[in-house]
Amino acid sequence: MNYELLNEEELRSEVSGAAFSLTAVMAVLASAVIAVIIYKLFLSKKGTASIPGGWKFTWN
């Protein structure tokens, strides 16, 4: 692999989209996980769920 130093003009023209891409992928992944959890909760006939802070839900 050959490394080449960039001049000032080349450095200014370089644009990275890695942060935006990673953020978009993580947002889609989080939305998918939340959608699956909500889907499972609403379609289950009976179950329990507990949320930090002392909240507990039970349905039949």
Side-chain angles (χ1 to χ4, degrees):
M1 179 179 245
N2 295 330
Y3 293 101
E4 183 179 331
L5 294 177
L6 302 176
N7 61 31
E8 290 294 324
E9 184 179 326
E10 292 171 332
L11 285 172
R12 279 192 220 104
S13 68
E14 287 295 316
V15 179
S16 175
F20 177 73
S21 299
L22 181 60
T23 303
V25 168
M26 293 298 288
V28 169
L29 183 62
S31 298
V33 169
I34 291 171
V36 168
I37 291 171
I38 291 172
Y39 176 79
K40 291 287 188 179
L41 282 175
F42 280 115
L43 289 184
S44 64
K45 299 288 183 200
K46 130 180 174 179
T48 61
S50 56
I51 300 173
W55 296 86
K56 293 185 180 184
F57 302 98
T58 304
W59 62 94
N60 291 331

